[in-house]
Coordinates of all heavy atoms in Angstrom, one line a residue:
V1 N 15.1 15.4 4.8 CA 14.7 15.8 6.1 C 15.9 16.5 6.8 O 17.1 16.3 6.5 CB 14.3 14.6 7.0 CG1 13.1 13.9 6.3 CG2 15.4 13.6 7.3
R2 N 15.5 17.4 7.8 CA 16.5 18.1 8.5 C 16.3 17.8 10.0 O 15.2 18.1 10.6 CB 16.4 19.6 8.3 CG 17.6 20.4 9.0 CD 17.6 21.9 8.7 NE 16.4 22.5 9.2 CZ 16.1 22.8 10.5 NH1 17.0 22.5 11.4 NH2 15.0 23.4 10.8
H3 N 17.3 17.2 10.6 CA 17.3 16.9 12.1 C 17.3 18.2 12.9 O 17.9 19.2 12.5 CB 18.6 16.1 12.4 CG 18.6 15.4 13.7 ND1 18.9 16.1 14.8 CD2 18.3 14.2 14.1 CE1 18.8 15.3 15.9 NE2 18.4 14.1 15.4
R4 N 16.7 18.1 14.0 CA 16.6 19.3 14.9 C 17.9 19.9 15.3 O 18.1 21.1 15.6 CB 15.8 19.0 16.2 CG 14.4 18.7 16.0 CD 13.7 18.5 17.4 NE 12.4 18.0 17.3 CZ 11.3 18.7 16.9 NH1 11.5 19.9 16.5 NH2 10.1 18.1 16.8
E5 N 19.0 19.0 15.4 CA 20.3 19.5 15.9 C 21.2 19.8 14.7 O 22.4 20.1 15.0 CB 20.9 18.4 16.8 CG 20.0 18.2 18.0 CD 20.5 17.0 18.8 OE1 21.5 16.4 18.5 OE2 19.8 16.7 19.9
R6 N 20.8 19.8 13.5 CA 21.7 20.1 12.3 C 21.0 21.0 11.4 O 19.8 21.2 11.4 CB 22.0 18.7 11.6 CG 22.7 17.8 12.5 CD 23.2 16.5 11.8 NE 22.2 15.5 11.7 CZ 22.1 14.5 12.6 NH1 22.7 14.6 13.8 NH2 21.2 13.6 12.5
D7 N 21.9 21.6 10.5 CA 21.3 22.5 9.5 C 21.6 21.9 8.1 O 21.6 22.6 7.1 CB 21.9 23.9 9.6 CG 23.4 23.9 9.4 OD1 24.0 22.9 9.2 OD2 24.0 25.0 9.5
T8 N 21.8 20.6 8.0 CA 22.0 19.9 6.8 C 20.8 19.0 6.5 O 20.0 18.7 7.4 CB 23.3 19.1 6.9 OG1 23.3 18.3 8.1 CG2 24.5 20.0 6.9
W9 N 20.8 18.5 5.2 CA 19.7 17.6 4.8 C 20.1 16.2 4.7 O 21.3 15.9 4.5 CB 19.2 18.1 3.4 CG 18.6 19.5 3.5 CD1 19.3 20.6 3.1 CD2 17.4 19.8 4.0 NE1 18.4 21.7 3.4 CE2 17.2 21.2 3.9 CE3 16.3 19.1 4.5 CZ2 16.1 21.9 4.3 CZ3 15.2 19.7 4.9 CH2 15.1 21.1 4.8
E10 N 19.2 15.3 5.0 CA 19.4 13.9 5.0 C 18.3 13.1 4.3 O 17.2 13.5 4.2 CB 19.5 13.4 6.5 CG 20.4 14.1 7.3 CD 20.3 13.8 8.8 OE1 19.7 12.7 9.2 OE2 20.9 14.6 9.6
I11 N 18.7 11.9 3.8 CA 17.7 11.0 3.3 C 17.0 10.4 4.5 O 17.7 10.1 5.5 CB 18.4 9.9 2.5 CG1 19.1 10.5 1.2 CG2 17.4 8.8 2.1 CD1 20.0 9.5 0.5
P12 N 15.7 10.2 4.5 CA 15.0 9.6 5.7 C 15.6 8.2 5.9 O 15.9 7.5 5.0 CB 13.6 9.5 5.2 CG 13.4 10.5 4.1 CD 14.8 10.6 3.4
G13 N 15.6 7.9 7.2 CA 16.1 6.6 7.6 C 16.6 6.6 9.1 O 16.6 7.6 9.7
G14 N 16.9 5.4 9.5 CA 17.4 5.3 10.9 C 17.8 3.9 11.3 O 17.8 3.0 10.5
H15 N 18.0 3.8 12.6 CA 18.5 2.6 13.2 C 17.4 1.5 13.4 O 16.2 1.9 13.8 CB 19.1 2.8 14.6 CG 20.4 3.6 14.5 ND1 20.4 4.9 14.5 CD2 21.6 3.1 14.5 CE1 21.7 5.3 14.4 NE2 22.5 4.2 14.4
R16 N 17.7 0.3 13.2 CA 16.9 -0.8 13.5 C 16.7 -1.0 15.0 O 17.7 -0.9 15.7 CB 17.5 -2.0 12.8 CG 16.7 -3.3 13.0 CD 17.5 -4.4 12.3 NE 16.7 -5.6 12.0 CZ 17.2 -6.6 11.3 NH1 18.4 -6.7 10.9 NH2 16.4 -7.6 11.1
E17 N 15.5 -1.2 15.5 CA 15.3 -1.5 16.9 C 15.5 -3.0 17.2 O 15.5 -3.8 16.3 CB 13.9 -1.0 17.3 CG 13.8 0.5 17.2 CD 12.4 1.0 17.6 OE1 11.5 0.1 17.9 OE2 12.2 2.2 17.6
K18 N 15.7 -3.3 18.4 CA 16.0 -4.7 18.8 C 14.8 -5.6 18.4 O 13.7 -5.3 18.6 CB 16.2 -4.8 20.3 CG 16.5 -6.2 20.9 CD 16.8 -6.1 22.3 CE 17.0 -7.5 23.0 NZ 17.3 -8.6 22.3
D19 N 15.2 -6.7 17.7 CA 14.3 -7.7 17.2 C 13.3 -7.2 16.1 O 12.3 -7.8 15.9 CB 13.4 -8.3 18.4 CG 14.3 -9.1 19.3 OD1 15.4 -9.7 18.9 OD2 14.1 -9.0 20.5
E20 N 13.6 -6.0 15.5 CA 12.7 -5.5 14.5 C 13.1 -6.0 13.1 O 14.3 -6.1 12.8 CB 12.8 -3.9 14.5 CG 11.9 -3.2 13.6 CD 12.0 -1.7 13.7 OE1 13.1 -1.2 13.8 OE2 10.9 -1.1 13.7
N21 N 12.1 -6.3 12.3 CA 12.4 -6.7 10.9 C 12.9 -5.5 10.2 O 12.3 -4.4 10.3 CB 11.1 -7.2 10.3 CG 11.2 -7.5 8.8 OD1 11.3 -6.6 8.0 ND2 11.2 -8.8 8.5
I22 N 13.9 -5.6 9.4 CA 14.5 -4.4 8.7 C 13.5 -3.7 7.8 O 13.6 -2.5 7.6 CB 15.8 -4.8 7.9 CG1 16.6 -3.5 7.6 CG2 15.5 -5.7 6.7 CD1 17.2 -2.8 8.7
D23 N 12.6 -4.5 7.2 CA 11.6 -3.8 6.3 C 10.6 -3.0 7.2 O 10.2 -1.9 6.8 CB 10.8 -4.9 5.5 CG 11.7 -5.6 4.5 OD1 12.7 -5.1 4.1 OD2 11.3 -6.7 4.1
H24 N 10.3 -3.5 8.4 CA 9.5 -2.7 9.3 C 10.3 -1.4 9.7 O 9.7 -0.3 9.9 CB 9.1 -3.5 10.5 CG 8.2 -2.7 11.4 ND1 8.6 -2.1 12.5 CD2 6.8 -2.4 11.3 CE1 7.6 -1.5 13.2 NE2 6.5 -1.7 12.4
T25 N 11.6 -1.5 10.0 CA 12.4 -0.4 10.3 C 12.2 0.7 9.3 O 12.0 1.9 9.6 CB 13.9 -0.8 10.4 OG1 14.1 -1.8 11.3 CG2 14.8 0.4 10.7
A26 N 12.3 0.4 8.0 CA 12.2 1.4 6.9 C 10.8 2.0 6.9 O 10.7 3.2 6.9 CB 12.4 0.7 5.6
S27 N 9.7 1.2 7.1 CA 8.4 1.8 7.1 C 8.2 2.7 8.3 O 7.6 3.8 8.2 CB 7.3 0.7 7.1 OG 7.3 0.0 5.9
R28 N 8.7 2.3 9.5 CA 8.6 3.1 10.7 C 9.3 4.4 10.6 O 8.8 5.4 10.9 CB 9.1 2.2 11.9 CG 9.1 3.0 13.2 CD 9.7 2.2 14.4 NE 11.0 1.7 14.1 CZ 12.1 2.4 14.1 NH1 12.1 3.7 14.4 NH2 13.3 1.8 13.9
E29 N 10.6 4.3 10.1 CA 11.4 5.5 10.0 C 10.8 6.4 9.0 O 10.9 7.7 9.1 CB 12.8 5.1 9.6 CG 13.6 4.5 10.7 CD 14.0 5.4 11.8 OE1 13.9 6.7 11.6 OE2 14.5 5.0 12.9
L30 N 10.2 5.9 7.9 CA 9.7 6.8 6.9 C 8.5 7.6 7.5 O 8.4 8.8 7.3 CB 9.2 6.0 5.6 CG 8.6 6.8 4.5 CD1 9.8 7.7 3.9 CD2 8.1 5.9 3.4
F31 N 7.7 6.9 8.3 CA 6.6 7.7 8.9 C 7.2 8.7 10.0 O 6.8 9.8 10.0 CB 5.6 6.7 9.6 CG 4.7 7.4 10.6 CD1 3.7 8.2 10.1 CD2 4.9 7.4 12.0 CE1 2.9 8.9 11.0 CE2 4.1 8.1 12.8 CZ 3.1 8.9 12.3
E32 N 8.1 8.2 10.8 CA 8.6 9.1 11.9 C 9.3 10.3 11.4 O 9.3 11.4 11.9 CB 9.6 8.3 12.8 CG 8.9 7.3 13.6 CD 9.8 6.4 14.5 OE1 11.1 6.7 14.4 OE2 9.3 5.6 15.3
E33 N 10.0 10.1 10.2 CA 10.8 11.2 9.7 C 10.1 12.1 8.7 O 10.6 13.2 8.4 CB 12.1 10.7 9.2 CG 12.9 10.1 10.3 CD 14.4 10.0 10.1 OE1 14.9 10.3 8.9 OE2 15.2 9.7 11.0
T34 N 9.0 11.6 8.1 CA 8.4 12.4 7.0 C 6.9 12.7 7.3 O 6.3 13.5 6.7 CB 8.5 11.8 5.6 OG1 7.7 10.6 5.6 CG2 9.9 11.5 5.3
G35 N 6.3 11.8 8.1 CA 4.8 11.9 8.3 C 4.1 11.1 7.3 O 2.8 11.3 7.2
A36 N 4.8 10.3 6.5 CA 4.1 9.6 5.4 C 3.0 8.7 6.0 O 3.3 7.9 6.9 CB 5.1 8.8 4.6
K37 N 1.8 8.8 5.4 CA 0.7 8.0 5.9 C 0.4 6.9 4.9 O 0.0 5.8 5.3 CB -0.6 8.9 6.0 CG -0.5 9.9 7.2 CD -1.6 10.8 7.2 CE -2.9 10.1 7.6 NZ -4.0 11.1 7.8
K38 N 0.4 7.2 3.6 CA 0.2 6.1 2.6 C 1.4 6.2 1.7 O 1.8 7.2 1.1 CB -1.1 6.5 1.8 CG -2.3 6.3 2.6 CD -3.5 6.6 1.8 CE -4.8 6.6 2.6 NZ -6.0 6.9 1.8
F39 N 2.0 5.0 1.5 CA 3.2 4.9 0.6 C 3.4 3.5 0.1 O 2.9 2.5 0.7 CB 4.4 5.4 1.4 CG 4.6 4.7 2.7 CD1 5.3 3.6 2.8 CD2 4.1 5.3 3.9 CE1 5.5 3.0 4.1 CE2 4.3 4.7 5.1 CZ 5.0 3.5 5.2
I40 N 4.2 3.4 -0.9 CA 4.7 2.1 -1.5 C 6.2 2.1 -1.2 O 6.9 3.1 -1.5 CB 4.4 2.0 -3.0 CG1 2.9 2.0 -3.3 CG2 5.0 0.7 -3.5 CD1 2.6 2.2 -4.7
I41 N 6.7 1.1 -0.6 CA 8.1 1.0 -0.2 C 8.7 -0.3 -0.8 O 8.1 -1.3 -0.7 CB 8.3 1.2 1.3 CG1 9.8 1.4 1.6 CG2 7.7 0.1 2.1 CD1 10.0 1.9 3.0
T42 N 9.8 -0.1 -1.4 CA 10.4 -1.3 -2.1 C 11.9 -1.4 -1.7 O 12.7 -0.4 -1.8 CB 10.4 -1.1 -3.6 OG1 9.0 -0.8 -4.0 CG2 10.9 -2.3 -4.4
P43 N 12.3 -2.6 -1.2 CA 13.7 -2.8 -0.9 C 14.5 -2.8 -2.3 O 14.1 -3.4 -3.2 CB 13.8 -4.1 -0.2 CG 12.5 -4.8 -0.5 CD 11.5 -3.7 -0.9

């Protein structure tokens, strides 16, 4: 993914929100950063 403020590429991901389960963080970030609707995610 490429952030709006950069011209470089990144692996999708991001910060955990307050009281959020880290596995939920990953699923949320994957959707927010890629638009993924159906996926299998493995820690």
